[in-house]
Amino acid sequence: MTGMRSAARGAAPPKARAPGFTALIAAAALSVTGCAQGAGDPSLASDSASAADVTESGASSAESGAASSESEPDSGASSSPAAEDSESESEPEELLEEQEIAEILLTESELPFTPDRHSTFTGLDFFQEQLAVEEDIYAENFGDGACAAAMDRVNAELVGESPQGGVVQEYEHQLEDRTESLYVWMLGLEEPQDSTAVWDQVLDACAGTPLRGETDSVQVKPFEAQEFEGIELDMDVHNGEDMVEVLGYSASVDYGRHLLMVSAANMKAETFSTIVELQAEKLAAYRYENAD
């Protein structure tokens, strides 16, 4: 994992005072595109299962998983040779049901903080309406260049042309100087994805060259933790009064015909790394428990 600076030099500005800032953060956090708009929109509700059902299923699975890990501390994939041997064989060929996806995603009780707000989205609306559309936010803010173009299309490339449905867990954590936003989601795909190649394209396009606009700048860096790979975004944004530093992160791992993503904005590096490690451990435990 690359070195990261902690979260902010000043408080994030209120949304009403800084619409441009909000748009940049929404784009910069990649999978957190719905953070600033539409997160509470009823149109993002499930098209095939209720959010409450999926959340309840995920929470009960988390509780049973936690009990299992307490009674059998050596059963995780990170410490079990059997789990390591079976990892490549346990990738599902078929798409997982929404309740199965909920068993994999981190639940509220498993986070290293107590969120002040939690929303669950299921189906396709969130992915198709919030993520899978190529935006021009980076080009508009930083001009036509390889890095800005790569950042504007990365969401669409990760989601693909034919997403099959998934589950999104959105969390917000209110602090004195900022609000941390976290998205943990898994999406079923028509064909297996190579998300590492997508991140490599972005990093190649942005290597050593920060994006700079009239007032704002974004530096793109690689992020790695456990089996997750992605990017860290170090953003300096003018909110009309001050320069505010905000960190954004997105990291993913491929699981059969699924993409598992963890994204955050306004969060300390240590907190995000902890969350990614917890999610990696939970995925490893699911692999082990469902190995053939």
PDB file of all heavy atoms in Angstrom, residues 252-280:
ATOM      1  N   SER A 252     -10.751  -2.528  -5.617  1.00  0.00           N
ATOM      2  CA  SER A 252     -11.640  -3.615  -6.017  1.00  0.00           C
ATOM      3  C   SER A 252     -10.908  -4.940  -6.073  1.00  0.00           C
ATOM      4  O   SER A 252      -9.676  -4.997  -6.087  1.00  0.00           O
ATOM      5  CB  SER A 252     -12.251  -3.313  -7.394  1.00  0.00           C
ATOM      6  OG  SER A 252     -11.234  -3.334  -8.391  1.00  0.00           O
ATOM      7  N   VAL A 253     -11.709  -6.001  -6.126  1.00  0.00           N
ATOM      8  CA  VAL A 253     -11.191  -7.335  -6.370  1.00  0.00           C
ATOM      9  C   VAL A 253     -12.233  -8.076  -7.205  1.00  0.00           C
ATOM     10  O   VAL A 253     -13.440  -7.855  -7.061  1.00  0.00           O
ATOM     11  CB  VAL A 253     -10.907  -8.082  -5.044  1.00  0.00           C
ATOM     12  CG1 VAL A 253     -12.194  -8.345  -4.263  1.00  0.00           C
ATOM     13  CG2 VAL A 253     -10.174  -9.392  -5.299  1.00  0.00           C
ATOM     14  N   ASP A 254     -11.782  -8.924  -8.109  1.00  0.00           N
ATOM     15  CA  ASP A 254     -12.689  -9.727  -8.938  1.00  0.00           C
ATOM     16  C   ASP A 254     -12.995 -11.037  -8.227  1.00  0.00           C
ATOM     17  O   ASP A 254     -12.109 -11.664  -7.642  1.00  0.00           O
ATOM     18  CB  ASP A 254     -12.048 -10.013 -10.296  1.00  0.00           C
ATOM     19  CG  ASP A 254     -11.637  -8.736 -11.024  1.00  0.00           C
ATOM     20  OD1 ASP A 254     -12.433  -7.784 -11.016  1.00  0.00           O
ATOM     21  OD2 ASP A 254     -10.522  -8.693 -11.573  1.00  0.00           O
ATOM     22  N   TYR A 255     -14.262 -11.440  -8.291  1.00  0.00           N
ATOM     23  CA  TYR A 255     -14.690 -12.688  -7.653  1.00  0.00           C
ATOM     24  C   TYR A 255     -15.635 -13.397  -8.608  1.00  0.00           C
ATOM     25  O   TYR A 255     -16.826 -13.127  -8.662  1.00  0.00           O
ATOM     26  CB  TYR A 255     -15.377 -12.389  -6.318  1.00  0.00           C
ATOM     27  CG  TYR A 255     -15.831 -13.621  -5.574  1.00  0.00           C
ATOM     28  CD1 TYR A 255     -14.959 -14.676  -5.312  1.00  0.00           C
ATOM     29  CD2 TYR A 255     -17.138 -13.715  -5.113  1.00  0.00           C
ATOM     30  CE1 TYR A 255     -15.391 -15.797  -4.612  1.00  0.00           C
ATOM     31  CE2 TYR A 255     -17.574 -14.828  -4.414  1.00  0.00           C
ATOM     32  CZ  TYR A 255     -16.695 -15.865  -4.174  1.00  0.00           C
ATOM     33  OH  TYR A 255     -17.116 -16.985  -3.477  1.00  0.00           O
ATOM     34  N   GLY A 256     -15.081 -14.295  -9.416  1.00  0.00           N
ATOM     35  CA  GLY A 256     -15.894 -14.957 -10.431  1.00  0.00           C
ATOM     36  C   GLY A 256     -16.433 -13.918 -11.397  1.00  0.00           C
ATOM     37  O   GLY A 256     -15.692 -13.103 -11.948  1.00  0.00           O
ATOM     38  N   ARG A 257     -17.745 -13.916 -11.586  1.00  0.00           N
ATOM     39  CA  ARG A 257     -18.400 -12.942 -12.465  1.00  0.00           C
ATOM     40  C   ARG A 257     -18.877 -11.728 -11.674  1.00  0.00           C
ATOM     41  O   ARG A 257     -19.893 -11.106 -12.013  1.00  0.00           O
ATOM     42  CB  ARG A 257     -19.572 -13.601 -13.189  1.00  0.00           C
ATOM     43  CG  ARG A 257     -19.154 -14.639 -14.227  1.00  0.00           C
ATOM     44  CD  ARG A 257     -20.356 -15.414 -14.733  1.00  0.00           C
ATOM     45  NE  ARG A 257     -21.380 -14.528 -15.291  1.00  0.00           N
ATOM     46  CZ  ARG A 257     -22.620 -14.923 -15.585  1.00  0.00           C
ATOM     47  NH1 ARG A 257     -22.985 -16.174 -15.361  1.00  0.00           N
ATOM     48  NH2 ARG A 257     -23.490 -14.064 -16.092  1.00  0.00           N
ATOM     49  N   HIS A 258     -18.130 -11.380 -10.632  1.00  0.00           N
ATOM     50  CA  HIS A 258     -18.540 -10.274  -9.771  1.00  0.00           C
ATOM     51  C   HIS A 258     -17.378  -9.317  -9.541  1.00  0.00           C
ATOM     52  O   HIS A 258     -16.215  -9.719  -9.550  1.00  0.00           O
ATOM     53  CB  HIS A 258     -19.026 -10.801  -8.416  1.00  0.00           C
ATOM     54  CG  HIS A 258     -20.127 -11.797  -8.525  1.00  0.00           C
ATOM     55  ND1 HIS A 258     -19.885 -13.137  -8.790  1.00  0.00           N
ATOM     56  CD2 HIS A 258     -21.479 -11.661  -8.421  1.00  0.00           C
ATOM     57  CE1 HIS A 258     -21.044 -13.779  -8.843  1.00  0.00           C
ATOM     58  NE2 HIS A 258     -22.016 -12.914  -8.633  1.00  0.00           N
ATOM     59  N   LEU A 259     -17.733  -8.060  -9.329  1.00  0.00           N
ATOM     60  CA  LEU A 259     -16.765  -7.038  -8.953  1.00  0.00           C
ATOM     61  C   LEU A 259     -17.119  -6.572  -7.550  1.00  0.00           C
ATOM     62  O   LEU A 259     -18.245  -6.127  -7.304  1.00  0.00           O
ATOM     63  CB  LEU A 259     -16.823  -5.862  -9.929  1.00  0.00           C
ATOM     64  CG  LEU A 259     -15.880  -4.692  -9.641  1.00  0.00           C
ATOM     65  CD1 LEU A 259     -14.425  -5.118  -9.827  1.00  0.00           C
ATOM     66  CD2 LEU A 259     -16.206  -3.505 -10.539  1.00  0.00           C
ATOM     67  N   LEU A 260     -16.169  -6.677  -6.631  1.00  0.00           N
ATOM     68  CA  LEU A 260     -16.356  -6.233  -5.253  1.00  0.00           C
ATOM     69  C   LEU A 260     -15.555  -4.952  -5.060  1.00  0.00           C
ATOM     70  O   LEU A 260     -14.346  -4.931  -5.302  1.00  0.00           O
ATOM     71  CB  LEU A 260     -15.885  -7.316  -4.281  1.00  0.00           C
ATOM     72  CG  LEU A 260     -15.879  -6.961  -2.790  1.00  0.00           C
ATOM     73  CD1 LEU A 260     -17.259  -6.536  -2.308  1.00  0.00           C
ATOM     74  CD2 LEU A 260     -15.372  -8.156  -1.979  1.00  0.00           C
ATOM     75  N   MET A 261     -16.205  -3.886  -4.633  1.00  0.00           N
ATOM     76  CA  MET A 261     -15.575  -2.572  -4.566  1.00  0.00           C
ATOM     77  C   MET A 261     -15.760  -1.947  -3.186  1.00  0.00           C
ATOM     78  O   MET A 261     -16.823  -2.062  -2.571  1.00  0.00           O
ATOM     79  CB  MET A 261     -16.197  -1.646  -5.612  1.00  0.00           C
ATOM     80  CG  MET A 261     -15.666  -0.235  -5.616  1.00  0.00           C
ATOM     81  SD  MET A 261     -14.084  -0.087  -6.461  1.00  0.00           S
ATOM     82  CE  MET A 261     -14.612  -0.297  -8.162  1.00  0.00           C
ATOM     83  N   VAL A 262     -14.707  -1.267  -2.725  1.00  0.00           N
ATOM     84  CA  VAL A 262     -14.772  -0.445  -1.520  1.00  0.00           C
ATOM     85  C   VAL A 262     -14.293   0.943  -1.917  1.00  0.00           C
ATOM     86  O   VAL A 262     -13.197   1.090  -2.469  1.00  0.00           O
ATOM     87  CB  VAL A 262     -13.894  -1.008  -0.390  1.00  0.00           C
ATOM     88  CG1 VAL A 262     -14.039  -0.154   0.869  1.00  0.00           C
ATOM     89  CG2 VAL A 262     -14.252  -2.457  -0.086  1.00  0.00           C
ATOM     90  N   SER A 263     -15.095   1.970  -1.647  1.00  0.00           N
ATOM     91  CA  SER A 263     -14.739   3.345  -1.974  1.00  0.00           C
ATOM     92  C   SER A 263     -15.053   4.253  -0.805  1.00  0.00           C
ATOM     93  O   SER A 263     -15.986   3.996  -0.040  1.00  0.00           O
ATOM     94  CB  SER A 263     -15.509   3.839  -3.199  1.00  0.00           C
ATOM     95  OG  SER A 263     -15.167   3.100  -4.348  1.00  0.00           O
ATOM     96  N   ALA A 264     -14.272   5.331  -0.680  1.00  0.00           N
ATOM     97  CA  ALA A 264     -14.507   6.261   0.418  1.00  0.00           C
ATOM     98  C   ALA A 264     -14.025   7.648   0.033  1.00  0.00           C
ATOM     99  O   ALA A 264     -13.173   7.817  -0.836  1.00  0.00           O
ATOM    100  CB  ALA A 264     -13.787   5.795   1.685  1.00  0.00           C
ATOM    101  N   ALA A 265     -14.580   8.643   0.701  1.00  0.00           N
ATOM    102  CA  ALA A 265     -14.130  10.025   0.563  1.00  0.00           C
ATOM    103  C   ALA A 265     -14.125  10.673   1.933  1.00  0.00           C
ATOM    104  O   ALA A 265     -14.940  10.321   2.804  1.00  0.00           O
ATOM    105  CB  ALA A 265     -15.042  10.804  -0.383  1.00  0.00           C
ATOM    106  N   ASN A 266     -13.197  11.601   2.125  1.00  0.00           N
ATOM    107  CA  ASN A 266     -13.089  12.337   3.384  1.00  0.00           C
ATOM    108  C   ASN A 266     -12.678  11.443   4.542  1.00  0.00           C
ATOM    109  O   ASN A 266     -12.982  11.740   5.695  1.00  0.00           O
ATOM    110  CB  ASN A 266     -14.411  13.030   3.733  1.00  0.00           C
ATOM    111  CG  ASN A 266     -14.374  14.508   3.457  1.00  0.00           C
ATOM    112  OD1 ASN A 266     -13.310  15.081   3.236  1.00  0.00           O
ATOM    113  ND2 ASN A 266     -15.530  15.137   3.463  1.00  0.00           N
ATOM    114  N   MET A 267     -12.005  10.344   4.260  1.00  0.00           N
ATOM    115  CA  MET A 267     -11.662   9.358   5.277  1.00  0.00           C
ATOM    116  C   MET A 267     -10.153   9.277   5.457  1.00  0.00           C
ATOM    117  O   MET A 267      -9.393   9.428   4.500  1.00  0.00           O
ATOM    118  CB  MET A 267     -12.207   7.984   4.875  1.00  0.00           C
ATOM    119  CG  MET A 267     -12.018   6.886   5.902  1.00  0.00           C
ATOM    120  SD  MET A 267     -12.869   5.357   5.388  1.00  0.00           S
ATOM    121  CE  MET A 267     -14.590   5.831   5.645  1.00  0.00           C
ATOM    122  N   LYS A 268      -9.711   9.039   6.678  1.00  0.00           N
ATOM    123  CA  LYS A 268      -8.291   8.862   6.931  1.00  0.00           C
ATOM    124  C   LYS A 268      -7.790   7.579   6.274  1.00  0.00           C
ATOM    125  O   LYS A 268      -8.519   6.591   6.158  1.00  0.00           O
ATOM    126  CB  LYS A 268      -8.004   8.815   8.433  1.00  0.00           C
ATOM    127  CG  LYS A 268      -8.144  10.162   9.131  1.00  0.00           C
ATOM    128  CD  LYS A 268      -7.704  10.059  10.574  1.00  0.00           C
ATOM    129  CE  LYS A 268      -7.744  11.421  11.259  1.00  0.00           C
ATOM    130  NZ  LYS A 268      -7.292  11.335  12.678  1.00  0.00           N
ATOM    131  N   ALA A 269      -6.538   7.607   5.884  1.00  0.00           N
ATOM    132  CA  ALA A 269      -5.938   6.457   5.210  1.00  0.00           C
ATOM    133  C   ALA A 269      -6.003   5.215   6.075  1.00  0.00           C
ATOM    134  O   ALA A 269      -6.311   4.115   5.595  1.00  0.00           O
ATOM    135  CB  ALA A 269      -4.488   6.773   4.846  1.00  0.00           C
ATOM    136  N   GLU A 270      -5.710   5.360   7.355  1.00  0.00           N
ATOM    137  CA  GLU A 270      -5.690   4.202   8.242  1.00  0.00           C
ATOM    138  C   GLU A 270      -7.066   3.560   8.352  1.00  0.00           C
ATOM    139  O   GLU A 270      -7.195   2.334   8.393  1.00  0.00           O
ATOM    140  CB  GLU A 270      -5.187   4.610   9.632  1.00  0.00           C
ATOM    141  CG  GLU A 270      -3.744   5.072   9.669  1.00  0.00           C
ATOM    142  CD  GLU A 270      -3.573   6.528   9.245  1.00  0.00           C
ATOM    143  OE1 GLU A 270      -4.593   7.196   8.935  1.00  0.00           O
ATOM    144  OE2 GLU A 270      -2.420   6.990   9.211  1.00  0.00           O
ATOM    145  N   THR A 271      -8.103   4.395   8.402  1.00  0.00           N
ATOM    146  CA  THR A 271      -9.462   3.868   8.501  1.00  0.00           C
ATOM    147  C   THR A 271      -9.839   3.105   7.244  1.00  0.00           C
ATOM    148  O   THR A 271     -10.401   2.000   7.307  1.00  0.00           O
ATOM    149  CB  THR A 271     -10.466   5.011   8.738  1.00  0.00           C
ATOM    150  OG1 THR A 271     -10.082   5.753   9.893  1.00  0.00           O
ATOM    151  CG2 THR A 271     -11.873   4.459   8.941  1.00  0.00           C
ATOM    152  N   PHE A 272      -9.540   3.681   6.079  1.00  0.00           N
ATOM    153  CA  PHE A 272      -9.879   3.001   4.830  1.00  0.00           C
ATOM    154  C   PHE A 272      -9.123   1.682   4.696  1.00  0.00           C
ATOM    155  O   PHE A 272      -9.692   0.668   4.298  1.00  0.00           O
ATOM    156  CB  PHE A 272      -9.577   3.894   3.632  1.00  0.00           C
ATOM    157  CG  PHE A 272      -9.989   3.285   2.325  1.00  0.00           C
ATOM    158  CD1 PHE A 272     -11.316   3.201   1.969  1.00  0.00           C
ATOM    159  CD2 PHE A 272      -9.035   2.771   1.446  1.00  0.00           C
ATOM    160  CE1 PHE A 272     -11.710   2.627   0.767  1.00  0.00           C
ATOM    161  CE2 PHE A 272      -9.410   2.196   0.246  1.00  0.00           C
ATOM    162  CZ  PHE A 272     -10.754   2.123  -0.098  1.00  0.00           C
ATOM    163  N   SER A 273      -7.844   1.680   5.029  1.00  0.00           N
ATOM    164  CA  SER A 273      -7.063   0.449   4.938  1.00  0.00           C
ATOM    165  C   SER A 273      -7.635  -0.635   5.839  1.00  0.00           C
ATOM    166  O   SER A 273      -7.708  -1.808   5.455  1.00  0.00           O
ATOM    167  CB  SER A 273      -5.599   0.724   5.315  1.00  0.00           C
ATOM    168  OG  SER A 273      -5.001   1.591   4.383  1.00  0.00           O
ATOM    169  N   THR A 274      -8.051  -0.239   7.045  1.00  0.00           N
ATOM    170  CA  THR A 274      -8.667  -1.200   7.960  1.00  0.00           C
ATOM    171  C   THR A 274      -9.934  -1.784   7.371  1.00  0.00           C
ATOM    172  O   THR A 274     -10.181  -2.999   7.439  1.00  0.00           O
ATOM    173  CB  THR A 274      -8.985  -0.529   9.306  1.00  0.00           C
ATOM    174  OG1 THR A 274      -7.761  -0.098   9.922  1.00  0.00           O
ATOM    175  CG2 THR A 274      -9.706  -1.483  10.249  1.00  0.00           C
ATOM    176  N   ILE A 275     -10.756  -0.939   6.753  1.00  0.00           N
ATOM    177  CA  ILE A 275     -12.007  -1.404   6.163  1.00  0.00           C
ATOM    178  C   ILE A 275     -11.734  -2.375   5.019  1.00  0.00           C
ATOM    179  O   ILE A 275     -12.393  -3.421   4.900  1.00  0.00           O
ATOM    180  CB  ILE A 275     -12.836  -0.196   5.684  1.00  0.00           C
ATOM    181  CG1 ILE A 275     -13.348   0.593   6.889  1.00  0.00           C
ATOM    182  CG2 ILE A 275     -14.003  -0.648   4.814  1.00  0.00           C
ATOM    183  CD1 ILE A 275     -13.963   1.923   6.545  1.00  0.00           C
ATOM    184  N   VAL A 276     -10.767  -2.059   4.165  1.00  0.00           N
ATOM    185  CA  VAL A 276     -10.432  -2.945   3.044  1.00  0.00           C
ATOM    186  C   VAL A 276      -9.942  -4.296   3.575  1.00  0.00           C
ATOM    187  O   VAL A 276     -10.313  -5.362   3.061  1.00  0.00           O
ATOM    188  CB  VAL A 276      -9.373  -2.299   2.138  1.00  0.00           C
ATOM    189  CG1 VAL A 276      -8.858  -3.304   1.104  1.00  0.00           C
ATOM    190  CG2 VAL A 276      -9.954  -1.090   1.428  1.00  0.00           C
ATOM    191  N   GLU A 277      -9.128  -4.274   4.612  1.00  0.00           N
ATOM    192  CA  GLU A 277      -8.639  -5.529   5.176  1.00  0.00           C
ATOM    193  C   GLU A 277      -9.772  -6.348   5.768  1.00  0.00           C
ATOM    194  O   GLU A 277      -9.821  -7.578   5.623  1.00  0.00           O
ATOM    195  CB  GLU A 277      -7.572  -5.225   6.236  1.00  0.00           C
ATOM    196  CG  GLU A 277      -6.270  -4.710   5.632  1.00  0.00           C
ATOM    197  CD  GLU A 277      -5.321  -4.153   6.663  1.00  0.00           C
ATOM    198  OE1 GLU A 277      -5.656  -4.194   7.869  1.00  0.00           O
ATOM    199  OE2 GLU A 277      -4.227  -3.676   6.266  1.00  0.00           O
ATOM    200  N   LEU A 278     -10.716  -5.688   6.443  1.00  0.00           N
ATOM    201  CA  LEU A 278     -11.873  -6.397   6.987  1.00  0.00           C
ATOM    202  C   LEU A 278     -12.717  -7.006   5.880  1.00  0.00           C
ATOM    203  O   LEU A 278     -13.195  -8.144   5.991  1.00  0.00           O
ATOM    204  CB  LEU A 278     -12.722  -5.439   7.829  1.00  0.00           C
ATOM    205  CG  LEU A 278     -12.122  -4.977   9.154  1.00  0.00           C
ATOM    206  CD1 LEU A 278     -12.967  -3.854   9.759  1.00  0.00           C
ATOM    207  CD2 LEU A 278     -12.005  -6.142  10.133  1.00  0.00           C
ATOM    208  N   GLN A 279     -12.908  -6.255   4.785  1.00  0.00           N
ATOM    209  CA  GLN A 279     -13.682  -6.779   3.665  1.00  0.00           C
ATOM    210  C   GLN A 279     -12.960  -7.944   2.993  1.00  0.00           C
ATOM    211  O   GLN A 279     -13.598  -8.918   2.584  1.00  0.00           O
ATOM    212  CB  GLN A 279     -13.961  -5.674   2.659  1.00  0.00           C
ATOM    213  CG  GLN A 279     -14.823  -6.098   1.480  1.00  0.00           C
ATOM    214  CD  GLN A 279     -16.192  -6.596   1.895  1.00  0.00           C
ATOM    215  OE1 GLN A 279     -17.087  -5.809   2.148  1.00  0.00           O
ATOM    216  NE2 GLN A 279     -16.359  -7.917   1.977  1.00  0.00           N
ATOM    217  N   ALA A 280     -11.642  -7.863   2.881  1.00  0.00           N
ATOM    218  CA  ALA A 280     -10.870  -8.964   2.303  1.00  0.00           C
ATOM    219  C   ALA A 280     -10.999 -10.221   3.157  1.00  0.00           C
ATOM    220  O   ALA A 280     -11.143 -11.335   2.638  1.00  0.00           O
ATOM    221  CB  ALA A 280      -9.409  -8.564   2.157  1.00  0.00           C
TER     222      ALA A 280
END
